[in-house]
Amino acid sequence: MKYVLISFVAFGVFILTGWMVTSRIDRRHALSESQRFVTSVIIAVSLAIVSFLGFMGVYYHADDSVSAYLVSNDTVKVEESDDAYFFDGPGDSSAVIFYQGGKVEETAYAPLMHRMAERGTDCFLMKLPLRMAELDASAADDIIEEYRDYEWYLMGHSLGGTAAGTYTSYHPDEVKGLILLAAYPVNDQDRSCRLLSIYGDRDGVLEMEAYNRQKTCWPPDGSELVISGGNHSGMGCYGLQKGDNKARISSDEQQTQVAVAAAEFINNGLKGER
């Protein structure tokens, strides 16, 4: 909602600026009414495009430490494609498709994906346009189509979790469950969808009022884990996000707790437990 309001305000500013600039041009060149309209629109759209590209060009970069998790080892094989990083661990029954947080470099989540793959769940870390999952919430389609033998789970952090929830709400037959990291769904989830929500008690970014309100979208058996000492940024490795609180545990510890909880959640599902 915050980004929507900002977008409306910015668009209004662009329109006003376009009108003001056009008025100055009109005083010098006596434009016709249609010329004034077209000129105003061109200026407003140009400002919007430049501002959008500038805004999206500033994002949270992954820490240098993640490079160690982007190479294969004896336990996890890592492959890169145009669409995703594939973390292929010892398991072969379940897989997670992960959507990054808004304006966060996707490789910031490589350590988490690696930890999850080690515990038996293969992971696809998506490369999403402009590091915004909302711009391609259906990105999971191609992965699910190509790898048909998995039991699928969607997982996402922050705005990526919201996009993942949108996907699961429209694909209840293809996806077994949803794992949210400091996020909440905006669409009602199918009753058959399993849901695990995880956030840190030091999270300064997650809007708790909205989070609690959107629990009405959860399936009846949705479950929740609150990580003591964890924050918003610790779900990945990209530094401290603006507005977040400092964590009282390391990002390694926070991500390990997430990986363990996710593995237990997924394995219980594979055993048919609810």
Side-chain angles (χ1 to χ4, degrees), residues 10-28 31-47:
F11 186 71
V13 171
F14 298 147
I15 292 294
L16 179 61
T17 302
W19 177 80
M20 292 174 64
V21 173
T22 302
S23 296
R24 295 188 65 177
I25 296 174
D26 185 35
R27 286 198 295 269
R28 295 181 180 181
L31 300 176
S32 67
E33 184 175 342
S34 60
Q35 288 175 324
R36 286 196 298 272
F37 175 77
V38 171
T39 302
S40 298
V41 170
I42 291 174
I43 293 172
V45 170
S46 299
L47 287 171

Side-chain angles (χ1 to χ4, degrees), residues 96-122:
V96 156
I97 296 174
F98 189 92
Y99 289 177
Q100 74 219 72
K103 298 184 69 180
V104 179
E105 189 173 11
E106 67 274 351
T107 53
Y109 302 95
L112 174 59
M113 300 293 95
H114 207 282
R115 288 182 171 94
M116 291 182 61
E118 289 174 349
R119 289 168 170 79
T121 300
D122 292 343

Side-chain angles (χ1 to χ4, degrees), residues 55 77 97 111 114 161 171 186-187 193-194 222-224 243 257:
F55 174 75
K77 181 180 180 182
I97 296 174
H114 207 282
H171 298 83
V186 294
N187 299 75
C193 179
R194 303 179 65 241
S223 56
E224 181 181 81
Q257 289 192 42

Side-chain angles (χ1 to χ4, degrees), residues 174-201:
E174 290 88 0
V175 180
K176 180 75 172 181
L178 173 65
I179 303 174
L180 300 170
L181 305 184
Y184 51 85
V186 294
N187 299 75
D188 290 338
Q189 300 299 306
D190 190 85
R191 293 181 63 86
S192 65
C193 179
R194 303 179 65 241
L195 183 147
L196 172 63
S197 175
I198 306 174
Y199 68 92
D201 65 2

Side-chain angles (χ1 to χ4, degrees), residues 161-179:
T162 298
T166 298
Y167 187 91
T168 58
S169 69
Y170 288 109
H171 298 83
D173 296 331
E174 290 88 0
V175 180
K176 180 75 172 181
L178 173 65
I179 303 174

Side-chain angles (χ1 to χ4, degrees), residues 67-176:
S67 59
Y69 297 91
L70 292 170
V71 295
S72 302
N73 61 20
D74 293 339
T75 306
V76 179
K77 181 180 180 182
V78 183
E79 299 177 348
E80 182 181 3
S81 68
D82 292 338
D83 300 321
Y85 292 90
F86 177 33
F87 296 79
D88 186 6
D92 58 8
S93 299
S94 61
V96 156
I97 296 174
F98 189 92
Y99 289 177
Q100 74 219 72
K103 298 184 69 180
V104 179
E105 189 173 11
E106 67 274 351
T107 53
Y109 302 95
L112 174 59
M113 300 293 95
H114 207 282
R115 288 182 171 94
M116 291 182 61
E118 289 174 349
R119 289 168 170 79
T121 300
D122 292 343
C123 296
F124 293 84
L125 175 57
M126 303 304 294
K127 298 178 178 179
L128 299 169
L130 297 175
R131 294 161 290 276
M132 293 291 288
E134 298 95 323
L135 298 179
D136 190 9
S138 62
D141 282 343
D142 291 340
I143 300 295
I144 293 175
E145 178 66 24
E146 182 175 355
Y147 299 86
R148 294 176 176 271
D149 296 331
Y150 285 116
E151 185 173 81
W152 291 104
Y153 290 80
L154 263 286
M155 184 176 185
H157 176 217
S158 196
L159 291 175
T162 298
T166 298
Y167 187 91
T168 58
S169 69
Y170 288 109
H171 298 83
D173 296 331
E174 290 88 0
V175 180
K176 180 75 172 181

